[in-house]
Amino acid sequence: MKKGKNYTILIIISIIIVILGLFLKNFIINKRTEDASVGSVSLHIETYLAGKNQPTHPNVIKFNKKWNGYKYWMGYTPYPNADGEEENPSITVSNDLYKWETPKGLANPIANNEETGCEELKDSQLIYREDLDRLEMWYLGRVSSNLGGDGKTLLLFRKVSNDGINWSKYEVMREFKYVSPAIIWDGEKYKCWGIGFEGQGTEGIFDYMESKDGVNWTKPVHCKIDNNSDNLNMWHGNVTYNDEYGYYELVYTNLSNQNIYYAKSKDGYNFSNNKSILNNDSKWGSFYRPT
């Protein structure tokens, strides 16, 4: 009887040791994963400015099946040596996320500041309307003081395309007092997030608004990010909706430390789990806008 009891105790102890061992192993693996860096790959993106390939403000659309020949469509703006006059919305495509090219038949940029009377265009956002089977490029333009503007007002523009090659004439959608508009279409309405900045009197604000037609918008709602003492230092960012898990995901650059942060939200207003996912180092001068 005593031998059987000892045997049972030995089995229980063995099971506990195995469980503790598995727990410790998973803890170590997870810790290593958190601390590890997957490195980086430099992408070659040929802009419309020969020899000045300095794209910025990317936004990538992923298709489960190739759309007009490509699985990934990226909207971006060249920004050679911080020259705002050349920051015109452009398109590049890929099937593997590494090799990028201008789609055949397209001449970048798809929009330029000269046609709008703006001193510069910037902060493009590419979205896909599944209901209309078309791409839409949304972007900002600063009204030119030389053409009667104040040189400060930002307008939100839109162009659309059914094939990614031929784009419509621009539409002026609204005045926009933020930088880096993050826009998605949820099947019924546009949802837009904007990061405030000093030049528009919205510094320190991260706002959300929505519209069914892209012209008439709801009043801005201030968004919150928990565990974030640096909320007032948000710079450019992007918001997407994760269909698989049912929440919104935010990535943005912190203006003070130049790190890239991540947060998520169930309602699109209150973001949690805020954490730095990419720290700047001496290798980079600064980060601009993640996607």
Side-chain angles (χ1 to χ4, degrees), residues 150-214:
D150 58 9
K152 296 181 180 180
T153 299
L154 292 174
L155 298 178
L156 184 61
F157 294 89
R158 179 180 70 177
K159 283 193 172 188
V160 303
S161 174
N162 293 316
D163 57 9
I165 308 299
N166 301 287
W167 290 83
S168 67
K169 178 179 171 57
Y170 71 84
E171 303 171 80
V172 179
M173 308 307 291
R174 60 166 296 174
E175 186 177 329
F176 201 73
K177 295 183 178 296
Y178 311 85
V179 295
S180 196
I183 303 171
I184 63 175
W185 172 258
D186 72 353
E188 297 181 354
K189 56 184 175 292
Y190 294 101
K191 296 183 175 182
C192 177
W193 292 261
I195 297 173
F197 74 115
E198 184 178 2
Q200 295 293 319
T202 53
E203 184 179 11
I205 293 174
F206 178 45
D207 279 353
Y208 168 82
M209 59 218 80
E210 58 187 43
S211 170
K212 290 187 176 182
D213 59 8

Side-chain angles (χ1 to χ4, degrees), residues 42-235:
S42 180
L43 304 178
H44 177 76
I45 297 177
E46 186 75 28
T47 71
Y48 68 90
L49 298 162
K52 297 182 179 180
N53 299 323
Q54 298 178 36
T56 191
H57 213 275
N59 178 219
V60 179
I61 301 295
K62 175 189 175 183
F63 291 91
N64 293 326
K65 296 181 179 179
K66 291 182 180 180
W67 188 80
N68 289 322
Y70 299 96
K71 190 173 181 179
Y72 302 99
W73 287 73
M74 178 196 295
Y76 71 94
T77 56
Y79 198 37
N81 301 314
D83 184 355
E85 290 189 7
E86 303 295 352
E87 196 177 355
N88 295 314
S90 301
I91 294 287
T92 186
V93 291
S94 175
N95 282 316
D96 60 10
L97 286 176
Y98 295 99
K99 180 183 177 182
W100 293 88
E101 61 187 13
T102 302
K104 293 180 180 180
L106 175 67
N108 278 319
I110 66 168
N112 64 75
N113 56 340
E114 294 178 357
E115 67 178 342
T116 61
C118 291
E119 292 182 345
E120 65 176 2
L121 302 182
K122 59 183 179 180
D123 297 5
S124 60
Q125 175 79 357
L126 187 67
I127 70 171
Y128 175 66
R129 286 277 304 262
E130 186 174 359
D131 58 328
L132 299 176
D133 189 28
R134 76 181 187 189
L135 289 176
E136 298 186 357
M137 178 72 86
W138 294 66
Y139 53 96
L140 296 179
R142 184 161 53 84
V143 181
S144 173
S145 56
N146 295 329
L147 297 175
D150 58 9
K152 296 181 180 180
T153 299
L154 292 174
L155 298 178
L156 184 61
F157 294 89
R158 179 180 70 177
K159 283 193 172 188
V160 303
S161 174
N162 293 316
D163 57 9
I165 308 299
N166 301 287
W167 290 83
S168 67
K169 178 179 171 57
Y170 71 84
E171 303 171 80
V172 179
M173 308 307 291
R174 60 166 296 174
E175 186 177 329
F176 201 73
K177 295 183 178 296
Y178 311 85
V179 295
S180 196
I183 303 171
I184 63 175
W185 172 258
D186 72 353
E188 297 181 354
K189 56 184 175 292
Y190 294 101
K191 296 183 175 182
C192 177
W193 292 261
I195 297 173
F197 74 115
E198 184 178 2
Q200 295 293 319
T202 53
E203 184 179 11
I205 293 174
F206 178 45
D207 279 353
Y208 168 82
M209 59 218 80
E210 58 187 43
S211 170
K212 290 187 176 182
D213 59 8
V215 177
N216 301 289
W217 295 81
T218 59
K219 291 183 178 181
V221 175
H222 295 337
C223 299
K224 296 181 180 179
I225 305 177
D226 71 355
N227 303 323
N228 186 12
S229 59
D230 295 315
N231 189 21
L232 298 182
N233 290 315
M234 291 178 70
W235 188 222

Side-chain angles (χ1 to χ4, degrees), residues 31-47:
K31 183 61 178 174
R32 286 176 178 173
T33 301
E34 290 176 1
D35 296 339
S37 171
V38 297
S40 62
V41 175
S42 180
L43 304 178
H44 177 76
I45 297 177
E46 186 75 28
T47 71

Side-chain angles (χ1 to χ4, degrees), residues 267-288:
D267 58 14
Y269 315 113
N270 301 289
F271 289 84
S272 60
N273 300 91
N274 186 53
K275 60 182 179 181
S276 175
I277 59 173
L278 186 59
N279 295 330
N280 197 6
D281 54 36
S282 58
K283 179 180 178 181
W284 305 99
S286 63
F287 289 131
Y288 200 81

